Amino acid sequence: MPGRTLTEKIAERYAQNASAPPRQGDIIRIRPKHVMTHDNTGAVIPKFHAIFERAGTTPRVFDPSQPVFAIDHDIQNHSPENLAKYAKIDRFSAEHEIDYYPPGTGISHQVMVEQGYVTPGSLVVGSDSHSNLYGALAALGTPVVRTDAACIWATGSTWWQVPRVARCTLTGTLAPGVVGKDVIIALCGLFNNDEVLNHAVEFTGEGVASLTMDQRMTIANMTTEWGALAGIFPFDETLRDWLHARADALESPRRPGRRSPHSRAYFSHDDVESWWSRRLAADEDAHYAADLTLDLSTVIPHVSGPNHVKTMTPLPEIEQKKVPIQKAYLLSCVNARLEDLHEAARVLEGRKVAEGVEFFVAAASAQVQQQAEESGDWQTLLHAGAIPLPPGCGPCIGLGRGTVEPGQTAISATNRNFKGRMGSRDAEVYLASPAVVAASAAAGYICAPTRFESHRPAGSYTAHPRAAEPADATILDGFPRSLDARCLYLPADNLNTDGIYAGKWTYKDDLTPEQMAAVVFENYDPAFADIYQPGDIIVAGRNFGTGSSREQAATALMHRGVPCVVAASFSETYRRNAFNNGFLTIECPDLVDHLARTLDAEAPTVPGPTLTIDFTAGTITADGQPFPFPPLSPVAQELVIARGAENLAAASLATP
């Protein structure tokens, strides 16, 4: 039996009733240290109450020290409806003695690491796709969805599949002017064929020691866009020193937020040394699904896009084109910490933002902004013409002031540039480092503050064959044995949740099921509503449902009457959302390849043949040909039969 990865060891710490140490691929029940929710807390609360209504018992949070509420997404929205939602969250947190951080405190992920909730070797989940950031602290940080959050509030636990684990060995050191954002853009661009899709990525190698904590947070955060479920750095001297510095800060009596008597948002110097003495690390003979390498010394600034994270262009090449911009952004959970603001301020010292360019800046937290003000960096940015926004997500999610408008081009230090995410679908957005964003804002076109020679970063990838998985075609009572329906083929890989259910609808909690159904795929294909027929099976390409953790991208399809989605592969977060709501997803890459060969894929939505799905045989038949798919596990079938995880949780609460 091979040794175990760091991911497997942390999973074992937080597994419940496991008969053996968890291994990659095992479905287990976990009780995470913390579960974070932000504005979507408002949508989790009714799910929580619904669980207890079904169970016929009084609502009670299982462990008030587990949840953390940190409001950050729509904080520029001062409408009565949004303020009422925030007030509801505030009241709920006070009633159940849950730690609460109000609007203006900062972006939720930054709050989680600043305020001491994320610690080495812990499992911390968040109802947001960028919970991967916690891996910078040698923790297993991974996203869950709203239904998971409600179940954790109610029962303390949820189900989780231990992902395949990839090892990414970093060598060399970064050249001056190259930062963590350049590293993750390089990884996304070099390995852009789903090499780490739904994996946990463990970073190792002598290059790790040269990376600062801010750089590690940037890299871990954007492993989400790379397709990974987690990005984990080791517990080394750099992290140890950072934790000691945080221990000093956590002693401050002026800490933000409201903490309950149950709060664990504190650690001491003694705690740090205790963690250090018991730190976890992968075994030397651990089995990895894949090995990747990246020579940091060969990384130069690149930009991603437009409108695609995994399309990268060396900065020297795009600089020659002098691509004009109208908007620039330095904000978000990936790049708005102190080092980022300092780099941008250094570039803009004595300069002004170009005429015709709006440069929006928001710190990752109020604490970061205060530190930037004390250093003078914040004033430098404002003097150059930057437009300040409150510490929060804002235009990164297409909310509040400063979103991109039709026909505009933007350069952004955010983590996503999906079409329509930051505003108009008729705009183009590139991603880059804070220094590149600042230099571009001053020049009026995409450029770098320093000259670099154009070359491709040096890296490698080796896949290690997976052990054959035993077939299990047992069908539980209540689960259908077969399904027949027409397919609608969507010839797109990486079809993201913004394309399925647009961000502008995500925080409108009062939409009816019919209204949600009406806007399905409008960002992907405005003609979808005219082509779809009730009962059609959606068939799509690879990594379906990538992007944010919004569960409406699954539930809206249910409301539309879609019986299931078949894809070559899924974002794991999307798959969680689907099964947690009793919505069926099936991976069948051979069928997708067949449809790609036989159908006219010029249009974004293409009617296809009738499909016959045989769950007993594990095949989908199209055009007279059977295509195999992995049999559905009993856990997956139970979720579909029960019509979601909330019903299963209610059943457990109702059991004497």
Side-chain angles (χ1 to χ4, degrees), residues 315-380:
L315 207 290
E317 293 182 17
I318 199 168
E319 193 169 26
Q320 294 176 0
K321 300 177 182 178
K322 293 192 174 182
V323 177
I325 62 167
Q326 293 77 46
K327 291 270 187 9
Y329 302 93
L330 176 52
L331 41 83
S332 83
C333 57
V334 68
N335 273 131
R337 281 172 283 278
L338 200 59
E339 286 182 14
D340 305 317
L341 299 174
H342 176 72
E343 285 298 309
R346 184 179 58 81
V347 171
L348 288 174
E349 183 73 47
R351 304 175 69 184
K352 293 288 185 180
V353 173
E355 185 176 352
V357 176
E358 291 181 299
F359 179 30
F360 294 93
V361 177
S365 69
Q367 185 176 114
V368 169
Q369 181 173 329
Q370 179 182 351
Q371 292 171 323
E373 290 171 348
E374 291 170 354
S375 71
D377 288 335
W378 191 256
Q379 290 84 340
T380 297

Side-chain angles (χ1 to χ4, degrees), residues 535-550:
D536 281 346
I537 295 171
I538 302 300
V539 181
R542 285 157 178 78
N543 198 20
F544 181 86
T546 188
S548 78
S549 60
R550 67 195 67 161

Side-chain angles (χ1 to χ4, degrees), residues 14-350:
Y14 291 88
Q16 286 189 290
N17 304 320
S19 58
R23 293 283 182 173
Q24 297 170 51
D26 290 348
I27 294 177
I28 60 175
R29 291 204 68 81
I30 56 169
R31 180 166 291 170
K33 179 183 180 186
H34 291 295
V35 53
M36 184 282 299
T37 55
H38 43 64
D39 296 41
N40 56 23
T41 306
V44 178
I45 290 172
K47 287 179 171 291
F48 170 79
H49 284 297
I51 290 172
F52 286 90
E53 288 174 6
R54 291 169 185 151
T57 59
T58 302
R60 180 183 67 86
V61 173
F62 180 85
D63 178 0
S65 72
Q66 263 186 314
V68 181
F69 300 164
I71 310 303
D72 62 1
H73 270 54
D74 202 15
I75 63 174
Q76 298 180 49
N77 179 0
H78 300 293
S79 68
E81 295 78 10
N82 197 52
L83 294 178
K85 178 170 73 174
Y86 288 171
K88 178 181 72 171
I89 296 170
D90 191 353
R91 288 193 301 272
F92 183 91
S93 67
E95 177 186 353
H96 293 276
E97 297 186 321
I98 293 169
D99 288 7
Y100 173 76
Y101 295 88
T105 307
I107 300 176
S108 55
H109 304 301
Q110 183 70 15
V111 170
M112 292 295 287
V113 297
E114 273 185 358
Q115 299 303 321
Y117 296 98
V118 182
T119 54
S122 63
L123 171 57
V124 179
V125 302
S127 184
D128 185 275
S129 56
H130 288 108
S131 302
N132 292 21
L133 180 143
Y134 311 148
L137 277 66
L140 179 50
T142 193
V144 295
V145 295
R146 298 176 181 188
T147 298
D148 289 313
C151 291
I152 294 171
W153 294 2
T155 68
S157 65
T158 189
W159 66 274
W160 192 62
Q161 185 171 25
V162 182
R164 285 174 286 176
V165 185
R167 176 170 52 195
C168 185
T169 302
L170 303 177
T171 62
T173 58
L174 296 175
V178 182
V179 294
K181 186 61 162 282
D182 300 311
V183 173
I184 191 59
I185 288 178
L187 289 170
C188 289
L190 279 176
F191 309 110
N192 59 5
N193 291 307
D194 294 342
E195 289 90 343
V196 298
L197 179 64
N198 296 333
H199 288 59
V201 178
E202 296 183 4
F203 292 97
T204 186
E206 85 231 6
V208 169
S210 67
L211 298 174
T212 67
M213 286 305 300
D214 279 8
Q215 290 172 339
R216 297 180 192 193
M217 289 185 210
T218 294
I219 295 167
N221 177 289
M222 270 191 68
T223 57
T224 299
E225 280 64 42
W226 197 13
L229 285 177
I232 310 173
F233 281 85
F235 191 178
D236 62 2
E237 293 284 359
T238 299
L239 174 56
R240 184 187 188 186
D241 292 343
W242 186 88
L243 290 167
H244 277 298
R246 289 308 308 162
D248 289 334
L250 290 172
E251 293 177 355
S252 170
R254 297 185 301 153
R255 293 173 59 204
R258 182 182 62 235
R259 282 168 296 282
S260 78
H262 311 280
S263 178
R264 294 179 184 171
Y266 171 83
F267 58 79
S268 67
H269 294 283
D270 288 341
D271 290 326
V272 175
E273 289 307 302
S274 176
W275 300 332
W276 177 256
S277 67
R278 298 180 291 111
R279 62 190 181 278
L280 296 177
D283 295 328
E284 290 186 4
D285 61 341
H287 170 75
Y288 289 92
D291 269 296
L292 304 97
T293 67
L294 179 68
D295 183 349
L296 297 178
S297 67
T298 66
V299 176
I300 64 170
H302 285 70
V303 295
S304 289
N307 299 345
H308 292 282
V309 175
K310 294 184 179 182
T311 300
M312 73 172 186
T313 304
L315 207 290
E317 293 182 17
I318 199 168
E319 193 169 26
Q320 294 176 0
K321 300 177 182 178
K322 293 192 174 182
V323 177
I325 62 167
Q326 293 77 46
K327 291 270 187 9
Y329 302 93
L330 176 52
L331 41 83
S332 83
C333 57
V334 68
N335 273 131
R337 281 172 283 278
L338 200 59
E339 286 182 14
D340 305 317
L341 299 174
H342 176 72
E343 285 298 309
R346 184 179 58 81
V347 171
L348 288 174
E349 183 73 47

Side-chain angles (χ1 to χ4, degrees), residues 339-568:
E339 286 182 14
D340 305 317
L341 299 174
H342 176 72
E343 285 298 309
R346 184 179 58 81
V347 171
L348 288 174
E349 183 73 47
R351 304 175 69 184
K352 293 288 185 180
V353 173
E355 185 176 352
V357 176
E358 291 181 299
F359 179 30
F360 294 93
V361 177
S365 69
Q367 185 176 114
V368 169
Q369 181 173 329
Q370 179 182 351
Q371 292 171 323
E373 290 171 348
E374 291 170 354
S375 71
D377 288 335
W378 191 256
Q379 290 84 340
T380 297
L381 294 170
L382 300 189
H383 183 71
I387 302 168
L389 296 175
C393 302
C396 178
I397 188 67
L399 298 171
R401 183 184 181 189
T403 55
V404 289
E405 300 169 23
Q408 290 189 329
T409 299
I411 186 76
S412 178
T414 55
N415 39 34
R416 288 194 178 132
N417 57 351
F418 303 150
K419 183 181 287 292
R421 174 181 171 83
M422 296 184 69
S424 172
R425 293 183 75 253
D426 298 319
E428 292 191 334
V429 179
Y430 294 84
L431 302 181
S433 70
V436 170
V437 168
S440 303
Y445 62 89
I446 298 176
C447 64
T450 308
R451 291 187 59 83
F452 291 89
E453 294 297 325
S454 182
H455 62 263
R456 186 175 177 82
S460 66
Y461 168 76
T462 304
H464 304 301
R466 296 177 62 186
E469 298 179 0
D472 180 10
T474 301
I475 304 300
L476 302 181
D477 291 340
F479 191 85
R481 294 185 173 275
S482 64
L483 176 65
D484 292 89
R486 183 184 79 157
C487 82
L488 277 187
Y489 176 48
L490 280 52
D493 292 335
N494 303 307
L495 206 167
N496 60 69
T497 50
D498 285 277
I500 302 168
Y501 191 83
K504 63 184 177 182
W505 306 117
T506 302
Y507 296 101
K508 293 186 178 295
D509 297 336
D510 57 348
L511 291 185
T512 66
E514 293 76 18
Q515 290 171 323
M516 293 173 64
V519 299
V520 162
F521 289 118
E522 68 172 9
N523 246 0
Y524 168 72
D525 180 8
F528 176 86
D530 297 325
I531 301 171
Y532 174 79
Q533 296 177 2
D536 281 346
I537 295 171
I538 302 300
V539 181
R542 285 157 178 78
N543 198 20
F544 181 86
T546 188
S548 78
S549 60
R550 67 195 67 161
E551 71 172 356
Q552 300 100 315
T555 57
L557 294 182
M558 295 175 60
H559 298 323
R560 188 77 190 191
V562 176
C564 67
V565 174
V566 180

